[in-house]
Amino acid sequence: MDLSVKIGNVTFKNPVTVASGTWGLVEGYSSSSLGAVIPKTVTLYARQGNPPPRIVETPAGMVNAIGIENPGADAFIAGKLMEIKKIGVPVIASVSGNSDEEFQALTEKFNLAGVSALELNLSCPNLKHKTLVAQDPIAVKRVVALVKKLARMPVVAKLSPNVTDISVIAKAAEDAGADAVSLVNTFTAMVIDVHKRKSMIGNFTGGLSGPAIRPIAVAMVYKTAQTVKIPIIAMGGIMTAEDALQFIIAGATMVAVGTASFVNPETPVEVLEGIKEYMKKNKIKDIKELVGSIQGS
Amino acid sequence: MRDTFKIVSNEKLCPKFYKLCLEAKSIAQKAKPGQFVHIRVNAELEPFFRRPFSIHRANKYLEICYEVIGPGTKILAAKKPGENLDILGPLGNGFMLPPQGIKKVAIVAGGMGVAPFLALTDQLKKKYEIILLYGGRTKDHIFSLKAYKDNGCKIYISTDDGSVGTKGRVSELFSKIIPDASTYIYTCGPKPMIKAVQDFANKHQLKGQASLEEVMACGVGVCLGCATATIHGYKTVCHDGPVFELGEVVLGK
Ligand SMILES: Cc1cc2nc3c(=O)[nH]c(=O)nc-3n(C[C@H](O)[C@H](O)[C@H](O)COP(=O)(O)OP(=O)(O)OC[C@H]3O[C@@H](n4cnc5c(N)ncnc54)[C@H](O)[C@@H]3O)c2cc1C
Ligand SMILES: Cc1cc2nc3c(=O)[nH]c(=O)nc-3n(C[C@H](O)[C@H](O)[C@H](O)COP(=O)(O)O)c2cc1C
Ligand code: FES
């Protein structure tokens, strides 16, 4: 059975990975069998994150506003990344910048860090505009192009679902040379405590994730797969192998488990095992046969 | 770390308080006082998160005391002996022993905040003189008293309605029974209570530890969702805590 998939010139032994910010080197979060791991986004300088409360439970999901709390690129590369690399699973590093210069500096740092790919978390401020980079195809094109010029590893553009048409943004990333796109990040969301008439999130708004968003994410992946030729890393509420298979059949080359790990840290491994079982049962020899195999009605 | 464990009993202590006993040797053997377990109360999607509960006691069985607050604890209260629960644990840092030279400790507990202290007194009883200051809503909301007595604790109670002990708040009781400067404090309960204890401790230069609560998703330091402010910046309650130096925590109004 061939489970291997390719992004740019890098081959991953299977299509299952973890979503940035939802995985860590912790007992119980087994990852040695996965195709890759994607650690939490790092920024050029350390960030302390948003004031609490940072999370709230919602129907079949959660809203978070962590604020990319991270130790900064240098500390991450010298510290945690070294530990992560010891697992022996390819690392897709996630980075985010506040400016073009920061994205450039991050790319140069990670060029020397020995990672398999670079994921650009584009849900970051788009200076001079009141949007996120991920909401502006021109900015996406610019950032991806400047990173591509420097990067020695494949570059993945991580897209926000908070747009009118995500496939337009994906196309902009592809045109700028991205080796893959990953989608979706969280949906802007809010929960209000009616007794206190206050937001349940310190940052006021946050991002919705978990099974609640899955059907929307599947539709976005499907539409994007119809629009771009580069591989898609799909995520959004995957709890089971069947959930992951929906994304693959819709056109995703890789799938990432996110929020589900908080409920069951073994979800990524269970998803991988379930995909194997499905392939065995349906006599599918190569996972690539499944990618985008959705039938017309 | 994660396993399913059988419920031995799940009894009502008072209308909204329950005590859950689990056959969970692997957790009970490892557990330190002040650690907690993260329980998936329902295999379906609702409620979505696990629910964190302090380890009340870890002997033959793992004991948890809980109050029915919302959907998660309601489902837990309906569980029957013989059923299984999916549990992550033991999690968190747990209480540290008092510093060298300390002979006397005061435990200040409000409501369900008393839960982690039985395990602590099990550990401290041999070497320390223990005062337990325990506040609850009414006499029905005060539990495990006999076990604390058996552990040699000197007990002071306060209730909101005065149905047992002194009427009023436990933090007020605390400031009346002024412990001498050599007393070491452990506290857990509602934030305003911990804040009052902290203010009092600052004024009298007392040291101690506080166990905090925040809404949790992962429970293991991965999501950074349970951040709490400290003088050293944000820390996670689940992994860096739930126990912090009393002087370190920054509590809002
Ligand atoms: C480290 C730790 C130890 C705890 N130990 C105990 C204990 O021994 N006994 C006990 O009765 N309770 C304890 N709690 C509180 C307990 O976790 C909540 O009462 C419980 O999660 C409520 O769930 P619910 O669905 O019934 O209520 P809801 O209010 O409907 O829960 C909604 C959400 O808020 C969270 N939540 C609600 N109250 C709290 C709280 N006080 N702290 C953290 N999250 C909360 C829930 O986990 C859930 O995510 C502890 C909390 C923490 C963080
Ligand atoms: C607590 C939390 C933290 C996250 N942190 C990041 C992050 O640092 N960078 C990023 O690109 N996405 C982050 N995400 C988004 C996830 O990677 C993922 O795109 C999203 O949650 C949807 O997938 P899911 O529903 O499976 O969780 C975070 C999500 C959660 C819930
Ligand atoms: S609950 Fe996830 S870091 Fe504490």
Side-chain angles (χ1 to χ4, degrees), chain A residues 55-58 200, chain B residues 16-18 34-38 41 47-56 63-75 91 112-116 143 188 211-217 226 237-238 241-242:
Chain A
I55 53 171
V56 57
E57 183 185 52
T58 60
M200 301 277 278
Chain B
K16 293 220 154 163
F17 285 13
Y18 287 76
Q35 287 191 301
F36 68 96
V37 290
H38 213 21
V41 297
F48 188 62
F49 285 165
R50 287 172 180 271
R51 296 294 191 262
F53 299 98
S54 300
I55 293 170
H56 183 53
E63 293 177 21
I64 278 135
C65 292
Y66 62 96
E67 176 175 5
V68 176
I69 303 270
T73 44
K74 196 170 161 195
I75 290 173
L91 304 176
M112 257 304 155
V114 78
F143 62 93
C188 181
S211 182
L212 303 186
E213 294 179 0
E214 273 302 332
V215 176
M216 290 181 180
C226 63
V237 169
C238 70

Side-chain angles (χ1 to χ4, degrees), chain B residues 221-240:
Chain B
V222 166
C223 71
L224 308 179
C226 63
T228 194
T230 76
I231 54 172
H232 311 294
Y234 292 126
K235 289 195 174 183
T236 58
V237 169
C238 70
H239 182 73
D240 301 325

